[in-house]
Amino acid sequence: MQTTDSQEIFDVLHNIFRKKKWLILGTIIVVLVPIFIYNETASPIYEANTMLVSEEFDNPVPGYDYDVSREIRFSNQLVEIQSYSFALDIVRVLPREILDKFSTPDSTMSEEERMDYIVSKIQKNISAFPVRGSNVVRISFQYKNPLVCKMVANAAAEVIQKRKSEIKQEGVAGLRAFIEGQLERYKGRLDSSESAMRTFKEQNRITSSIDREAEELMRRLTEAEVLYNAVKTDQGSAQNRLYALQNKLAEQKSTLIPSVMDLGSSWALKLKERLVELNLQYMNLKVQGYAEDHPKMIDLKTKMEQVRNDLTEKASKLAQSETSLDPLAQMEKFVQESVNLQIELESLKAREKALKSIIDGYNAKLGTLPTKEFALARLNREEEVNRKIYNMLKEKLEEARINEAEQYNTIRIIDKAQLPEDPISPRKKLNLVIGVLLGSILGIAIAFVTEMRNNTVKSPNEIERLTQWPVIAMIPNIQDYAKGKFRRTPSGGNENSDTERTYRALFSSLEPNTPIAEAYRMLRTNLQFNGLGRDYKTLLVTSIAPGDGKTTTLTNLAVAFAAFGNKTLILDADLRIPVMHKFFGLEREMGVSDLLEALDDLDSMISQAKSREAETNRVFRQEVEEKLKVNIAALEDNNSAPEESAAAESSPEASPLAEKNNGAPETEEGGNLPIPVGNKTLKGLRDIFNEAIKNTGVPNLSFVSSGRKMQNPEGMISTRPMPVILQRFKHRFNTILIDSAPLLLVNDTLLLAGIVDAVLIVLDAKKCDREMLLKAKKMMQNSKANVVGVVLNNYEVHGSYKNYYTSYYSEK
């Protein structure tokens, strides 16, 4: 069952593609036409690509790296590439001959307007995409000139390198200048402290150092002051970097910095107070000599890191919320760095405050020492502090000079843009492939919709499934094998309809070596196997609607039977619109209707004769009874004269029995006179049958036309004469094929279906409606007709079957 359903589905799909192939092809062409026009008329667009990698190194200058996550820096970089200011920098580095290759919509534009248009064009057509799982960025530029694409893409890589380098160099240069200034300052202070120490010892003739307690106090105070001065130095360098960033931002938007740099909100003040408190605790422990890996030191560093992260996170959200409204979104990067620098400054200020408090405490303790010892300790401390700070600044200055001299860049070009050879748009082959796919999908969808809305049966299997009637023959379209015998007119009709009808009706005789003639012979064979001509002789050929080809099928089937040697009769029982007599060039008079009327008249006259005979017998019996009653009364009154009574009773003239004994009464209808049937005699009825049978010119094939037009054909078919006619012809012919009106149009066919031995249904394969077919099936069931099969007319033969038979019969 599953195999049958799958095969039926396959047949339906195959029929849809076969029937709607031109619709699908037309849809594909309709879709391809605008695509082809676009491919030929659209300006080619080229694309050039360059690839960069962002490589982060440890900065040799402590504190120079900004505390910004890699993801934020990477995202900011992508946004920066698509900004207006970035496109403007690209225009500034492009050669003049490349700028001249940009086409402008208006030749009268000023130079400033033209440059602004080029910047907008570059901003619109440039794009940056990250390579997943790496720090690699791919920069693309699209334009109709391939050389412009290459130059702009490479210029974009140079600009982003230059921008990154400028920011770094500004920070490094400011830091170096700050360190140089501080170094000169502390060199003078170191010289002064050394001179003061030497003078104090000479004046007071001091050769030994201070005691151990004072020495420890001085060591801590010295370390605190060294840390204090280092914090001040870091604070100054951070401030210089912040100024550099602010100047960079001021070039693009001077109103951006105050809003995002304001950390004076309530949440920021609380976090700053917490940061100062933690730094104070940390510095106290550090001055006291606690190691960096001590648990208390680690705990304090963790807490300070958490507070700084909170400040960074909230400041980042504030920066993003405010810069999101700014069309120059790349400034978010500078804003983020500025925020982190300010957080660093706040942290350094907290350390400064803590160390200042510690130093003040140690200075207070030094005040309790003896005067000379106190003065010596102070001078010793100042000299040591100045020496350590001076040495530290010298190291940082050398590091800054090395960093400035290296000129390293964290942006490295992996691949430079090359001159594109093929345009990326329009992609002609891809467009055509997409067009074919879209056209095919659209065409198939339209074909399915139209076919599903079509209520006709799709295949022989569907007919058998709906009706349980076997499809015993499939007749191809005669038009395909007519060999030019007739052709269609522009209006859709035929140049000679009668000639075409005759040609169609006798096609199997006129063109015996064709697939159609072979199909009719196969139909004959299938009917013979079914018992036609052996088990039964009368076959009604009908259809469910006009134009299905039942008459053509009947005549060609009759020719096939006659050619086989069967004495075959065609009976035209279509009493309303008969046309079959034209096929054979015969007159329609003296046919089925004449036989029906003659037999009906005969039946009526016989019935009337029988009625009159019955009436005569009834009157005769009544007269006899009355005479008997009279005779009985006379006997009772004349008992004295029995002889007369006996004589009277024995008299033949007075006895009605005598009349009866003498035979039936003489009537006009009695005797051996012929019984009239219309204007014919009973003896002439045989002549009517003989006259109705006409010769067709085809051996073994006879024809009975429909006869004269009748007023009530339905009433005549439903009476007894029709079976009598069929029975009469059965004695003379082997096969009787009966033509009738379409089944769903008139009731005549339904009445005939109940009289004949078998019924053959002819359906048009191209217009057989499913609902009409089911209705015909129900009507046949109600009439208890014996439907032996279905003939599928105008069936489109395709595939190897068509090729085989076409070539086979063409050779014959």
Side-chain angles (χ1 to χ4, degrees):
M1 181 65 181
Q2 186 176 1
T3 304
T4 303
D5 293 341
S6 301
Q7 183 63 36
E8 184 173 343
I9 294 173
F10 176 79
D11 291 341
V12 171
L13 294 177
H14 184 267
N15 287 334
I16 290 176
F17 282 106
R18 180 170 49 82
K19 293 179 182 178
K20 305 295 183 179
K21 58 185 178 183
W22 295 112
L23 172 63
I24 297 174
L25 182 60
T27 306
I28 294 174
I29 294 174
V30 169
V31 174
L32 285 179
V33 166
I35 293 177
F36 181 78
I37 295 174
Y38 170 76
N39 284 343
E40 296 301 320
T41 58
S43 299
I45 302 298
Y46 296 86
E47 181 182 70
N49 298 281
T50 183
M51 297 188 71
L52 311 174
V53 61
S54 178
E55 297 175 330
E56 298 293 339
F57 300 102
D58 292 333
N59 197 327
V61 181
Y64 182 71
D65 281 337
Y66 304 142
D67 187 16
V68 184
S69 66
R70 185 185 70 85
E71 291 78 7
I72 293 177
R73 290 198 303 270
F74 203 59
S75 299
N76 291 341
Q77 198 171 63
L78 296 178
V79 176
E80 180 183 0
I81 292 173
Q82 295 175 305
S83 65
Y84 182 88
S85 62
F86 189 83
L88 182 61
D89 288 345
I90 293 176
V91 171
R92 289 170 179 168
V93 300
L94 285 175
R96 185 67 191 183
E97 58 269 17
I98 298 299
L99 294 177
D100 292 339
K101 293 183 181 297
F102 281 91
S103 60
T104 56
D106 187 2
S107 58
T108 61
M109 296 174 64
S110 65
E111 183 65 20
E112 182 179 355
E113 292 175 339
R114 186 171 179 273
M115 288 298 106
D116 186 67
Y117 174 80
I118 295 174
V119 171
S120 301
K121 198 73 174 177
I122 292 176
Q123 182 188 11
K124 179 181 178 181
N125 293 351
I126 198 169
S127 58
F129 305 96
V131 177
R132 187 173 182 180
S134 67
N135 286 347
V136 177
V137 178
R138 181 170 64 89
I139 300 177
S140 302
F141 183 74
Q142 298 178 1
Y143 197 64
K144 56 187 178 181
N145 189 307
L147 181 60
V148 171
C149 292
K150 172 188 173 182
M151 297 299 294
V152 171
N154 288 328
E158 295 175 5
V159 167
I160 198 169
Q161 278 188 322
K162 182 180 179 182
R163 281 191 164 205
K164 192 74 173 179
S165 178
E166 285 178 355
I167 295 174
K168 282 186 173 292
Q169 290 303 315
E170 287 178 4
V172 172
L175 177 62
R176 179 182 56 77
F178 174 76
I179 293 175
E180 287 177 347
Q182 292 295 315
L183 187 62
E184 291 296 327
R185 175 187 171 192
Y186 276 97
K187 185 177 184 301
R189 292 178 64 177
L190 177 60
D191 292 341
S192 297
S193 61
E194 288 178 345
S195 177
M197 172 67 76
R198 185 171 55 254
T199 301
F200 181 79
K201 284 185 176 183
E202 289 176 353
Q203 290 177 354
N204 293 282
R205 297 180 181 181
I206 298 174
T207 58
S208 62
S209 60
I210 58 178
D211 60 12
R212 184 171 298 176
E213 181 182 356
E215 184 179 355
E216 177 64 20
L217 185 62
M218 290 298 298
R219 185 189 66 77
R220 292 187 180 184
L221 182 58
T222 300
E223 186 173 349
E225 287 189 348
V226 170
L227 292 174
Y228 177 80
N229 284 282
V231 168
K232 292 287 288 183
T233 302
D234 291 341
Q235 186 178 350
S237 63
Q239 190 67 48
N240 284 336
R241 294 197 304 270
L242 180 61
Y243 288 155
L245 284 174
Q246 289 176 343
N247 291 333
K248 191 69 176 178
L249 283 168
E251 293 177 3
Q252 301 182 38
K253 187 176 180 183
S254 60
T255 60
L256 181 65
I257 299 302
S259 61
V260 298
M261 292 298 295
D262 184 13
L263 296 180
S265 59
S266 58
W267 58 267
L269 292 175
K270 290 180 181 179
L271 290 175
K272 286 194 293 184
E273 291 175 359
R274 176 63 176 164
L275 186 61
V276 170
E277 180 183 353
L278 292 173
N279 273 283
L280 180 59
Q281 297 176 15
Y282 180 81
M283 289 298 144
N284 279 327
L285 293 177
K286 189 171 184 180
V287 170
Q288 293 176 16
Y290 281 81
E292 293 290 337
D293 57 351
H294 192 276
K296 290 185 178 180
M297 299 290 283
I298 295 175
D299 181 60
L300 286 172
K301 285 193 291 185
T302 303
K303 291 180 179 179
M304 287 189 295
E305 186 67 24
Q306 182 63 42
V307 173
R308 281 194 292 267
N309 290 339
D310 291 343
L311 276 169
T312 301
E313 181 181 356
K314 292 187 177 182
S316 297
K317 291 181 179 179
L318 177 63
Q320 291 175 0
S321 64
E322 296 198 9
T323 56
S324 61
L325 299 175
D326 190 354
L328 305 179
Q330 82 279 1
M331 287 192 294
E332 181 184 347
K333 171 183 176 182
F334 303 139
V335 172
Q336 181 65 47
E337 293 175 349
S338 300
V339 169
N340 283 276
L341 278 176
Q342 186 177 5
I343 293 172
E344 182 181 349
L345 285 172
E346 292 296 332
S347 179
L348 291 173
K349 287 179 181 179
R351 290 188 181 186
E352 178 190 0
K353 185 177 180 181
L355 289 171
K356 185 69 170 63
S357 177
I358 293 173
I359 291 171
D360 290 343
Y362 285 137
N363 283 329
K365 288 183 179 181
L366 284 175
T368 61
L369 297 176
T371 303
K372 288 186 179 181
E373 191 173 355
F374 171 75
L376 179 61
R378 181 177 58 80
L379 291 173
N380 193 19
R381 174 180 58 81
E382 288 179 356
E383 181 186 2
E384 185 68 23
V385 168
N386 289 332
R387 181 178 289 107
K388 287 186 176 181
I389 292 176
Y390 179 76
N391 292 334
M392 179 195 69
L393 289 174
K394 285 184 68 175
E395 291 178 0
K396 288 192 175 183
L397 179 60
E398 291 302 320
E399 291 173 354
R401 286 174 176 172
I402 292 172
N403 185 42
E404 186 177 12
E406 283 183 352
Q407 298 279 329
Y408 68 86
N409 203 319
T410 59
I411 301 296
R412 180 169 59 89
I413 299 176
I414 300 176
D415 290 326
K416 284 191 174 184
Q418 303 298 321
L419 187 68
E421 297 180 358
D422 300 320
I424 62 167
S425 176
R427 299 180 179 180
K428 297 183 178 181
K429 293 182 179 178
L430 180 61
N431 291 344
L432 291 175
V433 171
I434 293 175
V436 171
L437 292 177
L438 290 178
S440 300
I441 294 172
L442 183 61
I444 292 172
I446 295 174
F448 267 96
V449 170
T450 55
E451 190 67 17
M452 291 302 104
R453 294 184 64 180
N454 184 5
N455 201 35
T456 58
V457 293
K458 306 300 186 298
S459 65
N461 291 334
E462 185 178 2
I463 294 175
E464 293 179 348
R465 180 174 56 82
L466 291 173
T467 62
Q468 284 74 51
W469 297 336
V471 177
I472 60 177
M474 292 178 287
I475 311 300
N477 192 339
I478 294 179
Q479 184 77 28
D480 298 337
Y481 301 92
K483 299 181 180 180
K485 297 293 182 181
F486 50 87
R487 59 187 179 87
R488 297 288 181 186
T489 60
S491 61
N494 300 323
E495 290 186 338
N496 192 337
S497 297
D498 292 339
T499 303
E500 179 190 346
R501 288 171 182 165
T502 302
Y503 183 77
R504 287 177 177 272
L506 302 176
F507 190 87
S508 58
S509 177
L510 299 175
E511 305 288 348
N513 296 325
T514 59
I516 294 180
E518 183 65 28
Y520 285 120
R521 288 192 287 269
M522 292 179 65
L523 173 60
R524 177 203 66 197
T525 302
N526 289 334
L527 290 173
Q528 287 176 328
F529 286 150
N530 193 268
L532 181 59
R534 182 184 69 251
D535 301 333
Y536 60 90
K537 293 186 176 182
T538 58
L539 176 69
L540 175 65
V541 181
T542 186
S543 62
I544 62 175
D548 287 346
K550 62 175 179 60
T551 302
T552 301
T553 300
L554 184 145
T555 53
N556 283 279
L557 178 61
V559 169
F561 270 106
F564 193 69
N566 286 19
K567 293 188 63 177
T568 306
L569 174 66
I570 298 177
L571 190 66
D572 189 359
D574 188 352
L575 304 181
R576 300 176 183 270
I577 311 177
V579 294
M580 190 173 290
H581 59 280
K582 297 179 181 179
F583 297 165
F584 302 102
L586 302 173
E587 299 296 330
R588 60 181 289 187
E589 283 73 15
M590 194 53 66
V592 175
S593 60
D594 299 284
L595 293 175
L596 288 173
E597 288 183 350
L599 289 175
D600 186 64
D601 290 344
L602 176 61
D603 186 64
S604 298
M605 294 304 297
I606 292 174
S607 298
Q608 291 175 6
K610 290 181 178 179
S611 297
R612 284 195 289 270
E613 182 179 1
E615 179 65 22
T616 301
N617 292 335
R618 185 185 62 78
V619 173
F620 176 73
R621 285 195 300 270
Q622 185 177 359
E623 290 176 354
V624 170
E625 290 175 358
E626 289 179 356
K627 289 181 180 181
L628 286 174
K629 291 178 181 180
V630 172
N631 291 334
I632 292 172
L635 287 174
E636 291 177 352
D637 294 337
N638 301 302
N639 288 329
S640 60
E643 294 84 359
E644 293 179 7
S645 300
E649 292 174 4
S650 61
S651 174
E653 296 177 0
S655 176
L657 294 175
E659 294 180 14
K660 184 176 180 181
N661 291 332
N662 289 335
E666 294 182 5
T667 63
E668 296 179 18
E669 293 83 2
N672 294 320
L673 294 176
I675 302 174
V677 182
N679 296 324
K680 306 290 182 180
T681 62
L682 184 60
K683 182 180 179 181
L685 190 59
R686 184 179 295 106
D687 298 331
I688 296 176
F689 272 91
N690 292 333
E691 188 179 350
I693 300 174
K694 301 177 180 63
N695 184 20
T696 61
V698 179
N700 297 322
L701 180 61
S702 301
F703 172 69
V704 175
S705 66
S706 62
R708 295 181 296 105
K709 187 174 181 179
M710 300 183 66
Q711 297 296 327
N712 184 22
E714 179 182 349
M716 296 300 295
I717 292 175
S718 62
T719 57
R720 290 196 304 167
M722 193 64 190
V724 173
I725 294 174
L726 297 177
Q727 190 63 35
R728 175 74 177 177
F729 288 139
K730 283 182 180 180
H731 295 295
R732 298 185 57 178
F733 297 96
N734 302 113
T735 304
I736 302 172
L737 303 179
I738 305 168
D739 187 25
S740 67
L743 179 61
L744 299 183
L745 294 184
V746 294
N747 198 39
D748 306 358
T749 304
L750 193 61
L751 296 173
L752 277 172
I755 298 173
V756 298
D757 298 328
V759 178
L760 181 66
I761 306 293
V762 178
L763 301 177
D764 192 328
K766 296 182 179 179
K767 62 178 184 179
C768 179
D769 186 81
R770 189 179 292 106
E771 294 181 359
M772 295 175 63
L773 180 60
L774 292 174
K775 185 177 180 181
K777 175 191 174 184
K778 186 176 181 180
M779 294 174 66
M780 289 289 99
Q781 288 176 340
N782 293 336
S783 66
K784 295 182 174 52
N786 176 28
V787 179
V788 295
V790 174
V791 174
L792 206 54
N793 196 32
N794 289 331
Y795 186 76
E796 186 175 352
V797 182
H798 52 85
S800 58
Y801 179 88
K802 179 178 181 180
N803 296 333
Y804 172 77
Y805 276 98
T806 301
S807 60
Y808 177 80
Y809 284 102
S810 62
E811 292 176 0
K812 291 182 66 176

